[in-house]
Amino acid sequence: MLDLNERFYFVEILKPLKLNSMRSYLSIFLVFVTFLFQAQTTVEDDFEGSGTITSWYGDDCGMDNTFANPFQTGINTSATVLEYTDSGGQYANVRFDVEANFDLSTNNTFSLKIYVPSSGITGSSPNQISLKLQDGTLAQPWVTQSEIIKPIVLNEWQTVTFDFENDNYINLSPSSPDPIARTDFNRVLLQVNGENNTSEVVAYIDDFLYDGTINIAPEPVFDNLVWSDEFDGNGAVN
Protein backbone atom coordinates (compact mmCIF):
# COMPACT_ATOMS: atom_id res chain seq x y z
CA MET A 1 0.00 0.00 0.00
CA LEU A 2 1.28 3.48 -0.81
CA ASP A 3 2.08 5.87 2.01
CA LEU A 4 -0.19 8.89 2.12
CA ASN A 5 2.79 11.05 1.23
CA GLU A 6 3.52 9.09 -1.96
CA ARG A 7 1.92 9.40 -5.36
CA PHE A 8 2.33 7.74 -8.74
CA TYR A 9 2.94 9.99 -11.68
CA PHE A 10 3.04 8.74 -15.27
CA VAL A 11 5.24 11.02 -17.28
CA GLU A 12 5.18 10.65 -21.05
CA ILE A 13 8.10 12.19 -22.82
CA LEU A 14 7.58 11.99 -26.58
CA LYS A 15 10.88 12.99 -28.01
CA PRO A 16 11.56 12.69 -31.75
CA LEU A 17 15.15 11.61 -32.04
CA LYS A 18 15.48 11.50 -35.82
CA LEU A 19 13.58 10.72 -38.98
CA ASN A 20 14.87 7.76 -40.98
CA SER A 21 12.92 6.95 -44.13
CA MET A 22 9.30 6.96 -42.89
CA ARG A 23 10.07 6.02 -39.28
CA SER A 24 10.14 8.22 -36.13
CA TYR A 25 11.91 7.19 -32.97
CA LEU A 26 10.01 7.90 -29.78
CA SER A 27 10.89 7.40 -26.13
CA ILE A 28 8.33 6.86 -23.36
CA PHE A 29 9.25 6.67 -19.69
CA LEU A 30 7.29 5.74 -16.57
CA VAL A 31 8.61 7.59 -13.52
CA PHE A 32 7.78 6.88 -9.91
CA VAL A 33 7.78 10.04 -7.80
CA THR A 34 8.15 9.87 -4.06
CA PHE A 35 7.02 12.61 -1.71
CA LEU A 36 8.99 12.26 1.48
CA PHE A 37 7.53 12.79 4.92
CA GLN A 38 7.17 16.44 5.88
CA ALA A 39 10.50 17.98 6.85
CA GLN A 40 11.06 20.17 9.87
CA THR A 41 12.91 23.45 9.60
CA THR A 42 13.95 26.16 12.02
CA VAL A 43 12.81 29.78 11.81
CA GLU A 44 15.84 31.98 12.45
CA ASP A 45 18.03 34.66 10.94
CA ASP A 46 21.42 35.96 12.01
CA PHE A 47 21.61 38.19 8.91
CA GLU A 48 24.98 36.65 8.10
CA GLY A 49 23.59 34.51 5.28
CA SER A 50 22.88 31.32 7.21
CA GLY A 51 19.31 31.97 8.31
CA THR A 52 16.14 30.26 7.10
CA ILE A 53 13.99 33.39 6.74
CA THR A 54 13.96 34.60 3.14
CA SER A 55 10.87 36.83 2.95
CA TRP A 56 11.70 39.90 5.06
CA TYR A 57 9.63 42.87 3.92
CA GLY A 58 9.53 46.50 5.02
CA ASP A 59 6.00 47.90 5.17
CA ASP A 60 5.73 51.72 5.25
CA CYS A 61 9.38 51.88 6.32
CA GLY A 62 12.89 51.34 5.02
CA MET A 63 14.56 47.98 5.55
CA ASP A 64 18.04 46.61 4.83
CA ASN A 65 18.72 43.09 6.07
CA THR A 66 22.38 43.15 5.01
CA PHE A 67 23.35 46.30 6.87
CA ALA A 68 26.80 46.59 8.47
CA ASN A 69 26.37 46.57 12.26
CA PRO A 70 27.10 50.17 13.37
CA PHE A 71 27.29 49.18 17.05
CA GLN A 72 29.54 46.13 17.39
CA THR A 73 29.51 46.16 21.15
CA GLY A 74 28.09 44.45 24.22
CA ILE A 75 26.22 41.23 23.49
CA ASN A 76 26.29 41.68 19.71
CA THR A 77 29.56 41.98 17.79
CA SER A 78 28.27 40.38 14.59
CA ALA A 79 29.07 42.08 11.30
CA THR A 80 25.60 42.30 9.74
CA VAL A 81 22.16 43.23 11.06
CA LEU A 82 18.73 44.31 9.82
CA GLU A 83 18.30 48.08 9.70
CA TYR A 84 14.73 49.32 10.31
CA THR A 85 14.08 52.93 9.30
CA ASP A 86 10.71 54.44 10.16
CA SER A 87 10.56 57.91 8.59
CA GLY A 88 7.15 58.66 10.03
CA GLY A 89 5.06 55.91 8.48
CA GLN A 90 1.81 55.54 10.40
CA TYR A 91 1.91 51.74 10.38
CA ALA A 92 5.62 51.12 9.82
CA ASN A 93 6.78 47.53 10.41
CA VAL A 94 9.00 44.77 9.12
CA ARG A 95 7.63 41.28 8.61
CA PHE A 96 8.15 37.87 7.09
CA ASP A 97 6.01 34.84 6.20
CA VAL A 98 6.82 31.17 6.76
CA GLU A 99 5.90 28.22 4.53
CA ALA A 100 3.80 26.45 7.17
CA ASN A 101 1.87 27.57 10.22
CA PHE A 102 3.35 27.75 13.69
CA ASP A 103 2.13 25.27 16.28
CA LEU A 104 2.18 27.32 19.48
CA SER A 105 0.85 24.52 21.66
CA THR A 106 4.36 23.19 22.24
CA ASN A 107 6.74 25.96 21.17
CA ASN A 108 5.56 29.51 21.67
CA THR A 109 8.61 31.74 22.21
CA PHE A 110 10.32 34.18 19.84
CA SER A 111 13.44 36.17 20.60
CA LEU A 112 15.67 38.77 18.98
CA LYS A 113 18.38 41.31 19.69
CA ILE A 114 17.65 45.00 19.15
CA TYR A 115 19.55 48.30 19.36
CA VAL A 116 17.74 51.64 19.13
CA PRO A 117 19.97 54.73 19.20
CA SER A 118 18.41 57.75 20.86
CA SER A 119 19.70 59.91 18.01
CA GLY A 120 17.30 58.18 15.61
CA ILE A 121 14.09 58.89 17.52
CA THR A 122 11.63 61.75 17.25
CA GLY A 123 8.31 62.28 18.98
CA SER A 124 7.14 61.04 22.37
CA SER A 125 6.09 57.45 21.67
CA PRO A 126 7.10 54.88 24.32
CA ASN A 127 10.32 53.00 23.59
CA GLN A 128 9.05 49.51 22.84
CA ILE A 129 8.98 46.70 20.34
CA SER A 130 5.94 44.61 19.54
CA LEU A 131 5.79 41.21 17.89
CA LYS A 132 2.54 40.38 16.13
CA LEU A 133 1.46 37.00 14.80
CA GLN A 134 -0.95 37.04 11.87
CA ASP A 135 -2.54 34.83 9.25
CA GLY A 136 -0.94 36.08 6.05
CA THR A 137 -3.48 34.29 3.86
CA LEU A 138 -6.30 36.62 4.95
CA ALA A 139 -7.20 39.69 2.95
CA GLN A 140 -6.84 41.66 6.19
CA PRO A 141 -4.15 39.70 8.09
CA TRP A 142 -4.39 41.86 11.20
CA VAL A 143 -8.01 41.06 12.07
CA THR A 144 -7.13 37.94 14.07
CA GLN A 145 -3.62 38.93 15.15
CA SER A 146 -2.11 38.36 18.57
CA GLU A 147 0.52 40.79 19.86
CA ILE A 148 3.06 41.06 22.68
CA ILE A 149 4.64 44.44 23.51
CA LYS A 150 7.95 44.70 25.35
CA PRO A 151 9.77 47.82 26.62
CA ILE A 152 13.28 48.52 25.37
CA VAL A 153 16.14 50.70 26.55
CA LEU A 154 18.06 52.95 24.21
CA ASN A 155 21.69 52.92 23.11
CA GLU A 156 22.50 49.30 23.89
CA TRP A 157 22.01 45.83 22.49
CA GLN A 158 19.48 43.80 24.41
CA THR A 159 17.72 40.47 23.97
CA VAL A 160 13.92 40.64 23.93
CA THR A 161 11.78 37.50 24.32
CA PHE A 162 8.11 37.11 23.42
CA ASP A 163 6.43 34.16 25.15
CA PHE A 164 2.87 33.60 23.90
CA GLU A 165 2.10 31.22 26.75
CA ASN A 166 3.29 33.26 29.75
CA ASP A 167 3.56 36.90 28.61
CA ASN A 168 0.65 39.28 28.48
CA TYR A 169 -0.68 39.29 24.94
CA ILE A 170 -3.28 41.33 23.09
CA ASN A 171 -5.76 39.70 20.72
CA LEU A 172 -7.08 42.31 18.30
CA SER A 173 -10.34 40.37 18.09
CA PRO A 174 -11.89 39.51 21.48
CA SER A 175 -13.31 36.35 19.94
CA SER A 176 -9.88 34.97 19.05
CA PRO A 177 -8.74 32.04 21.22
CA ASP A 178 -5.53 32.01 23.26
CA PRO A 179 -2.45 31.98 21.00
CA ILE A 180 -1.27 28.59 22.28
CA ALA A 181 -4.55 27.05 21.09
CA ARG A 182 -4.09 28.30 17.54
CA THR A 183 -2.36 26.94 14.46
CA ASP A 184 -3.30 29.61 11.90
CA PHE A 185 -0.32 31.95 12.31
CA ASN A 186 2.19 32.10 9.46
CA ARG A 187 3.32 35.73 9.56
CA VAL A 188 5.58 37.51 12.06
CA LEU A 189 5.49 41.30 12.20
CA LEU A 190 7.83 43.56 14.21
CA GLN A 191 6.97 47.15 15.07
CA VAL A 192 9.14 49.61 16.98
CA ASN A 193 7.60 52.40 19.08
CA GLY A 194 4.03 51.62 18.18
CA GLU A 195 1.71 52.64 15.36
CA ASN A 196 -0.80 55.39 14.62
CA ASN A 197 1.94 57.98 14.95
CA THR A 198 4.36 59.86 12.72
CA SER A 199 7.38 59.51 15.00
CA GLU A 200 10.68 58.58 13.39
CA VAL A 201 12.68 55.55 14.57
CA VAL A 202 15.91 53.89 13.50
CA ALA A 203 16.48 50.42 14.94
CA TYR A 204 18.86 47.51 14.37
CA ILE A 205 17.66 43.93 14.76
CA ASP A 206 19.70 40.73 14.89
CA ASP A 207 19.55 37.02 15.76
CA PHE A 208 15.83 36.43 15.34
CA LEU A 209 14.85 32.98 16.61
CA TYR A 210 11.72 30.87 17.08
CA ASP A 211 12.25 28.19 19.72
CA GLY A 212 10.50 25.46 17.71
CA THR A 213 10.30 24.25 14.13
CA ILE A 214 7.69 24.23 11.39
CA ASN A 215 6.75 21.36 9.10
CA ILE A 216 7.21 21.91 5.39
CA ALA A 217 6.58 19.55 2.49
CA PRO A 218 9.75 18.74 0.54
CA GLU A 219 9.97 19.05 -3.21
CA PRO A 220 9.05 15.85 -5.09
CA VAL A 221 11.98 13.80 -6.37
CA PHE A 222 11.71 12.47 -9.93
CA ASP A 223 14.58 10.01 -9.78
CA ASN A 224 13.23 6.45 -9.83
CA LEU A 225 12.81 5.03 -13.35
CA VAL A 226 10.52 1.97 -13.24
CA TRP A 227 9.84 1.35 -16.95
CA SER A 228 11.00 2.59 -20.32
CA ASP A 229 10.77 1.67 -23.98
CA GLU A 230 12.95 3.26 -26.63
CA PHE A 231 10.83 1.88 -29.55
CA ASP A 232 14.05 1.31 -31.44
CA GLY A 233 12.97 -1.88 -33.20
CA ASN A 234 12.16 -2.29 -36.88
CA GLY A 235 8.87 -1.26 -38.36
CA ALA A 236 6.21 1.28 -37.40
CA VAL A 237 5.26 2.03 -33.82
CA ASN A 238 2.45 -0.31 -32.70
Side-chain angles (χ1 to χ4, degrees):
M1 179 179 293
L2 283 177
D3 187 273
L4 291 178
N5 289 312
E6 296 179 347
R7 301 289 188 273
F8 274 115
Y9 283 82
F10 294 88
V11 180
E12 291 191 14
I13 304 173
L14 301 180
K15 181 180 180 183
L17 298 180
K18 66 177 181 178
L19 291 175
N20 184 7
S21 298
M22 296 299 291
R23 185 173 61 189
S24 297
Y25 288 83
L26 303 176
S27 297
I28 299 179
F29 302 93
L30 172 63
V31 180
F32 179 71
V33 185
T34 302
F35 286 86
L36 303 176
F37 286 105
Q38 287 186 329
Q40 293 183 331
T41 185
T42 59
V43 180
E44 58 186 328
D45 206 337
D46 61 3
F47 304 103
E48 306 289 335
S50 59
T52 60
I53 303 170
T54 60
S55 56
W56 285 103
Y57 179 80
D59 188 7
D60 207 15
C61 73
M63 187 207 71
D64 184 347
N65 60 352
T66 59
F67 195 80
N69 184 0
F71 302 103
Q72 292 182 300
T73 183
I75 63 172
N76 191 21
T77 58
S78 66
T80 308
V81 297
L82 181 150
E83 182 190 46
Y84 171 112
T85 308
D86 177 0
S87 300
Q90 189 174 8
Y91 297 102
N93 65 81
V94 292
R95 57 179 169 84
F96 66 86
D97 293 347
V98 291
E99 295 182 56
N101 294 356
F102 295 102
D103 182 357
L104 300 183
S105 64
T106 54
N107 297 94
N108 37 60
T109 300
F110 302 80
S111 64
L112 55 82
K113 293 186 179 76
I114 185 170
Y115 190 112
V116 179
S118 57
S119 59
I121 292 179
T122 66
S124 57
S125 299
N127 298 318
Q128 64 182 39
I129 180 170
S130 63
L131 186 147
K132 304 177 182 183
L133 297 178
Q134 299 178 344
D135 180 354
T137 67
L138 299 178
Q140 297 179 323
W142 57 87
V143 296
T144 62
Q145 79 179 15
S146 188
E147 174 184 15
I148 294 176
I149 301 173
K150 290 294 184 78
I152 56 175
V153 296
L154 303 181
N155 303 316
E156 67 177 63
W157 282 107
Q158 62 223 263
T159 298
V160 183
T161 301
F162 306 86
D163 183 340
F164 280 87
E165 181 176 20
N166 299 303
D167 288 343
N168 292 325
Y169 60 84
I170 303 168
N171 283 342
L172 188 62
S173 172
S175 61
S176 294
D178 294 346
I180 61 172
R182 298 176 61 176
T183 58
D184 59 323
F185 293 130
N186 50 44
R187 173 170 293 176
V188 176
L189 185 148
L190 303 174
Q191 196 164 54
V192 182
N193 286 13
E195 62 184 15
N196 283 319
N197 64 64
T198 57
S199 299
E200 297 180 7
V201 182
V202 175
Y204 303 95
I205 295 170
D206 204 3
D207 295 335
F208 184 94
L209 177 65
Y210 170 55
D211 72 338
T213 58
I214 58 173
N215 294 322
I216 60 172
E219 292 295 322
V221 179
F222 297 84
D223 65 351
N224 186 12
L225 179 66
V226 296
W227 177 82
S228 68
D229 195 329
E230 300 299 329
F231 297 102
D232 54 358
N234 294 324
V237 174
N238 185 354

